[in-house]
């Protein structure tokens, strides 16, 4: 916690002096409080106007039937009951999102970690490899979606072309086949894995060299060093990546929306949660229903994060450097 | 000591070399796989329409058809969209530059009761999914007549972005507190310390924030999709999506447009690579 009277420790005077000083200090504290609040005021105003108010309003909307044009009509929990019991597309979009999260989060983290491990060795042209792996993350999602449609076009795309020419294989329908559509999207998220690679790489470079030297003296090989030094020390980074990716994947929207024109086809296999939410809100104008979906998403993300935090016993923190909130 | 370690290193040298060689081959393969989609985009953007329907598709066009680029920028009001996107991007950058460092200063170099608590609150707001705030904000902006203007896309950024505030605060923490305390003893006011001492020292971090915001405004899709109605007002991302939904087979033009959309970002990234990577590192690691 923050010391309320930072200078108190250096005081040595008598009680009277101390009293005078504490008055002066409370003045200083008040002045600091004033300046602190002035400096953070943009964010505070934003917190109230662009975060707190909408969260509250969205909870209130979720209990109404609301189409913007006419005033909201109170319906209680009907929206929630309807989506949970009587909406096949809702359950489809939720299960699609959960399946894709289970598919994509572990794979992306593992691939990012593997690539970072390789890049961390003394290989030639490390900086070039790093750039090549990072650049795909810069492609705007709309362009990325169109690019993926064309690469994996079953009839004329280069992927099936290469499969045919090199291996004589008739490639699958990729994004047009309900069994292949999610794996194809997974390939896209693997192509844009560079962000995680850069973060893992930085984490790897933070590991003190002395630990590896100590392991060398004990006669440890590459595999043992990775298992007993690198991985334990990187668990905080893995943990951070896990939380961030889950939050992001539950909100996946742009790429599948552009690829399918918002339809989520084939067989609704690319209809993700936020796509369906968007449709409820801005196609069907069912703002109440969509707000309920948004709140449910919020609760799901919250629950996931809590579970991850509760089960974070595997995360290794060295030297009490835990948390960002402690003063550095 | 030294010789012992040396000879120990010497004995395992070949296994180390072999692993490194395998890594190198793997990395080379992966790099090729990472570059090929770009190459395919570029080559398609230079093909004639009939070549798109060839099986098996060749990598290279018969002749380089630069005409595609001209067609792509005239089929849709491309330069108009670029201009619109630039306007939003510049406004957004201005917004985050005014708000975020200021808030980050309030969260780092001034000690006040409740600061750390509010900072945790701010970090937690990063977790709030966008759809939760999306609908009420849309209703609010619709009510005050801001639909089909750039205000809903730009104005909120003048009230700070938690992620950037976090990044800048982490950076500000690397500046010793003794420095700001000394300035206070010399009678400098907080705004003056912020403006004349902290800001000039944090140019690299500010550059990182500018880059992140450029990237996010340039690529943003959902925001413009929600708030912009007239096709005259569209950004390049929404324009490209519209073009795709109307001409979903003309991949030579789509790839040309995508190339024009992507290349500026890659060039900028290449020029400022180091700052960029540092920025990611700063948030990614300190966030643990």
């Amino acid at each position: 916690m923050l010391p309320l009277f930072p200078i108190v420790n250096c005081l040595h005077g008598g009680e009277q002096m101390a009293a005078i000083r504490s008055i002066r200090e409370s003045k200083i504290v008040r002045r600091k409080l004033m300046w602190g609040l002035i400096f953070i005021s943009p964010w505070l105003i934003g917190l109230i106007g662009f975060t707190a108010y909408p969260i509250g309003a969205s909870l209130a909307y979720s209990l109404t039937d609301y189409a913007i044009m006419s005033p909201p009509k109170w319906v209680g929990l009907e929206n929630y009951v309807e989506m949970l019991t009587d909406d096949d597309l809702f359950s489809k979009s939720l299960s699609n999102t959960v399946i894709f999260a289970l598919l994509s989060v572990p794979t992306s983290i593992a691939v990012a970690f593997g690539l970072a491990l390789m890049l961390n060795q003394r290989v030639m042209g490390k900086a070039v490899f790093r750039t090549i792996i990072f650049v795909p993350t810069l492609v705007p999602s709309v362009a990325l979606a169109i690019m993926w449609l064309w690469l994996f076009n079953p009839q004329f795309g280069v992927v099936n072309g290469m499969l045919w020419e090199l291996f004589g294989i008739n490639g699958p329908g990729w994004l047009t086949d309900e069994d292949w559509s999610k794996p194809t999207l997974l390939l896209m998220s693997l192509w844009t894995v560079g962000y995680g690679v850069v973060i893992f790489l930085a984490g790897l470079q933070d590991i003190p060299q002395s630990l590896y030297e100590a392991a060398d003296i004990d006669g440890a090989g590459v595999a043992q060093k990775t298992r007993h030094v690198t991985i334990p020390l990187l668990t905080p980074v893995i943990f951070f990546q896990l939380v961030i990716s889950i939050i992001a994947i539950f909100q996946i929207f742009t790429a599948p929306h552009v690829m399918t024109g918002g339809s989520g086809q084939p067989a609704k296999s690319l209809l993700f949660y936020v796509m369906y939410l968007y449709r409820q809100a801005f196609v069907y104008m069912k703002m109440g229903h969509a707000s309920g979906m948004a709140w449910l998403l919020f609760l799901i993300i919250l629950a996931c994060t809590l579970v991850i935090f509760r089960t974070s016993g595997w995360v290794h923190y060295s030297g009490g450097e835990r948390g960002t909130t402690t003063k550095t | 000591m030294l010789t012992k370690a040396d000879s120990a290193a010497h004995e395992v040298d070949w296994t180390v070399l072999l692993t490194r060689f395998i890594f190198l081959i793997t990395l080379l393969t992966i790099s090729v796989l990472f570059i090929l989609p770009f190459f395919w985009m570029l080559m398609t953007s230079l093909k004639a329409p009939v070549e798109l329907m060839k099986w098996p598709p060749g990598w290279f066009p018969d002749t380089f058809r630069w005409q595609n680029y001209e067609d792509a920028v005239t089929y849709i009001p491309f330069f108009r969209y670029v201009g619109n996107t630039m306007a939003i991007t510049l406004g957004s950058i201005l917004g985050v530059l005014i708000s975020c460092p200021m808030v980050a200063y309030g969260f780092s170099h001034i000690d006040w009761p409740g600061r750390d608590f509010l900072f945790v609150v701010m970090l937690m707001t990063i977790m709030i999914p966008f759809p939760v705030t999306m609908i009420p904000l849309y209703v609010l902006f619709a009510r005050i007549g801001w639909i089909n203007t750039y205000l809903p896309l730009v104005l909120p950024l003048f009230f700070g972005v938690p992620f950037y505030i976090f990044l800048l605060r982490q950076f500000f923490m690397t500046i010793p507190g003794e420095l700001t305390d000394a300035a206070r003893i010399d009678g400098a006011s907080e705004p003056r310390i912020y403006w004349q001492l902290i800001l000039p020292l944090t140019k690299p971090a500010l550059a990182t924030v500018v880059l992140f915001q450029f990237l996010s405004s340039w690529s943003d899709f959902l925001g413009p999709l929600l708030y912009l109605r007239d096709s005259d007002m569209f950004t390049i991302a929404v324009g490209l999506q519209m073009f795709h939904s109307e001409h979903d087979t003309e991949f030579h033009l789509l790839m040309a447009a995508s190339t024009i959309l992507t290349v500026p970002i890659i060039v900028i990234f290449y020029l400022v690579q180091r700052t960029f990577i540092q920025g990611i590192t700063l948030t990614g690691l300190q966030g643990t």
Side-chain angles (χ1 to χ4, degrees):
Chain A
M1 261 326 276
L2 202 78
L4 288 184
F5 302 102
I7 321 171
V8 144
N9 299 334
C10 357
L11 291 179
H12 298 290
E15 281 190 15
Q16 224 179 350
M17 287 292 283
I20 296 169
R21 280 197 176 114
S22 81
I23 291 168
R24 194 189 295 158
E25 270 138 27
S26 73
K27 230 176 175 174
I28 293 177
V29 169
R30 236 179 299 147
R31 219 180 39 231
K32 286 196 163 173
L33 178 64
M34 181 193 81
W35 278 117
L37 289 177
I38 289 175
F39 272 95
I40 70 155
S41 59
W43 170 73
L44 263 184
I45 297 167
L47 178 73
I48 297 163
F50 297 126
T51 308
Y53 158 72
I55 289 181
S58 130
L59 185 61
Y61 288 167
S62 77
L63 304 171
T64 66
D65 190 357
Y66 186 29
I68 294 194
M69 293 307 167
S70 50
K73 203 175 84 215
W74 177 266
V75 294
L77 290 174
E78 205 176 281
N79 285 326
Y80 292 96
V81 173
E82 193 189 318
M83 78 181 81
L84 292 172
T85 57
D86 193 28
D87 189 344
D88 291 343
L89 283 185
F90 169 84
S91 31
K92 184 76 186 164
S93 73
L94 181 59
S95 74
N96 278 338
T97 311
V98 171
I99 291 170
F100 188 64
L102 290 174
L103 202 65
S104 143
V105 172
T107 327
S108 304
I109 290 180
V111 169
F113 189 60
L115 285 174
L117 273 180
M118 279 191 271
L119 283 175
N120 197 43
Q121 308 299 317
R122 263 166 280 175
V123 283
M124 279 182 292
K126 188 162 138 179
V128 181
F129 286 134
R130 194 184 61 181
T131 307
I132 291 173
I133 289 170
F134 189 78
V135 163
T137 66
L138 301 169
V139 179
S141 311
V142 175
L144 183 60
I146 297 173
M147 201 169 164
W148 229 247
L149 277 176
W150 181 227
L151 270 166
F152 287 91
N153 184 304
Q155 285 170 288
F156 307 112
V158 77
V159 175
N160 276 358
M162 284 292 111
L163 284 176
W164 174 249
E165 279 187 283
L166 296 177
F167 309 106
I169 297 172
N170 271 319
W174 302 111
L175 289 163
T176 61
D177 179 333
E178 60 172 308
D179 295 325
W180 283 92
S181 53
K182 286 191 197 76
T184 315
L185 204 61
L186 172 70
L187 287 176
M188 192 180 86
S189 50
L190 291 182
W191 192 54
T192 51
V193 83
Y195 221 80
V197 175
V198 168
I199 289 173
F200 277 126
L201 201 53
L204 286 168
Q205 278 154 3
D206 259 16
I207 297 175
Q209 204 53 43
S210 58
L211 289 177
Y212 289 113
E213 281 157 18
D216 273 336
I217 290 168
D218 291 343
V222 177
Q224 279 171 308
K225 277 190 272 185
T226 306
R227 209 177 133 209
H228 297 291
V229 180
T230 316
I231 292 181
L233 283 173
L234 270 190
T235 46
V237 186
I238 298 174
F239 180 71
F240 174 72
Q241 287 286 297
L242 194 63
V243 175
I244 292 289
S245 343
I246 287 179
I247 294 176
I249 218 87
F250 267 99
Q251 299 181 61
I252 183 170
F253 175 79
T254 303
H257 178 89
V258 173
M259 282 170 172
T260 67
S263 71
Q265 299 294 13
K268 302 289 174 205
S269 61
L270 291 179
L271 185 71
F272 292 101
Y273 197 91
V274 177
M275 286 167 72
Y276 187 54
L277 195 162
Y278 174 87
R279 192 195 292 182
Q280 286 289 343
F282 298 102
V283 179
Y284 305 151
M285 286 292 160
K286 288 166 93 174
M287 295 294 169
H289 193 98
S291 296
M293 281 190 72
W295 255 86
L296 213 61
L297 176 69
F298 190 21
L299 294 180
I300 292 171
I301 289 180
L302 220 63
C304 284
T305 319
L306 271 180
V307 169
I308 301 171
F309 269 92
R310 278 286 160 80
T311 56
S312 64
W314 49 275
V315 180
H316 171 98
Y317 289 103
S318 57
E321 288 175 59
R322 191 183 173 148
T324 51
T325 52
T326 48
K327 264 181 90 177
T328 38
Chain B
M1 263 300 270
L2 241 168
T3 47
K4 225 188 212 167
D6 265 3
S7 66
H10 216 78
E11 277 167 43
V12 293
D13 224 1
W14 66 272
T15 46
V16 173
L17 277 181
L18 186 68
T19 358
R20 259 184 225 159
F21 180 72
I22 294 169
F23 284 168
L24 188 68
I25 297 296
T26 318
L27 281 171
L28 275 173
T29 318
I30 288 169
S31 297
V32 171
L33 288 176
F34 268 61
I35 290 172
L36 281 180
F38 284 119
F39 186 68
W40 175 242
M41 170 171 86
L42 211 63
M43 287 300 119
T44 305
S45 76
L46 295 168
K47 284 181 178 175
V50 284
E51 285 179 84
L52 298 180
M53 307 292 158
K54 223 167 72 183
W55 181 263
W59 282 98
F60 297 95
D62 294 338
T63 51
F64 287 171
R65 194 166 182 270
W66 296 102
Q67 175 77 34
N68 289 343
Y69 282 84
E70 220 181 297
D71 291 349
V73 299
T74 44
Y75 264 50
I76 51 173
F78 198 88
F79 293 108
R80 189 182 181 101
Y81 293 167
V82 170
N84 292 344
T85 314
M86 286 293 269
I88 295 171
T89 306
L90 289 178
S92 308
I93 287 175
L94 186 71
V96 296
L97 274 187
I98 289 174
S99 58
C100 296
M102 183 176 159
V103 177
Y105 180 72
F107 274 132
S108 55
H109 280 271
I110 309 175
D111 258 319
W112 46 278
R115 181 190 71 175
D116 291 10
F117 169 73
L118 280 179
F119 186 66
V120 174
V121 170
M122 192 199 73
L123 287 184
M124 290 201 304
T125 62
I126 297 181
M127 255 179 44
I128 299 170
F130 179 63
V132 179
T133 55
M134 174 174 88
I135 292 164
L137 285 179
Y138 179 84
V139 173
L140 178 77
F141 289 134
R143 224 174 261 160
I144 52 180
W146 283 5
I147 301 297
N148 209 23
T149 71
Y150 296 148
L151 285 167
L153 301 173
V154 174
L155 187 96
L157 296 165
F158 282 80
F159 296 90
V161 176
F163 177 71
Y164 303 149
I165 296 170
F166 171 57
L167 187 154
L168 288 168
R169 186 249 187 201
Q170 298 305 99
F171 197 89
F172 288 1
M173 292 302 252
T174 61
I175 300 169
E178 287 84 11
L179 212 62
T180 39
D181 282 341
R184 274 183 204 119
I185 289 165
D186 289 344
S189 65
E190 296 294 344
R192 202 167 150 213
I193 298 172
Y194 167 66
W195 190 254
Q196 293 190 339
L197 185 68
I198 299 290
L199 277 191
L201 284 174
T202 48
K203 277 182 198 145
L206 294 176
T208 311
V209 169
V210 169
L211 273 168
F212 277 130
Q213 187 54 46
F214 168 77
L215 208 62
S216 120
S217 290
W218 188 261
S219 319
D220 187 21
F221 175 69
L222 184 51
L225 181 71
L226 285 178
Y227 290 115
L228 305 179
R229 291 279 173 278
D230 288 350
S231 61
D232 274 359
M233 298 286 287
F234 281 175
T235 62
I236 193 166
V238 176
L240 185 61
Q241 188 252 351
M242 281 296 169
F243 183 59
H244 168 246
S245 59
E246 281 157 23
H247 311 261
D248 64 347
T249 53
E250 298 181 61
F251 277 104
H252 56 304
L253 300 183
L254 284 165
M255 290 297 112
S258 298
T259 307
I260 311 177
L261 183 62
T262 309
V263 163
I265 301 180
I266 295 178
V267 169
I268 291 174
F269 167 74
Y270 192 75
L271 295 176
V272 288
Q273 213 186 127
R274 272 192 47 194
T275 321
F276 204 85
I277 300 280
Q278 270 169 4
I280 298 171
T281 309
L282 202 62
T283 48
L285 285 187
Q286 315 258 327
T288 56

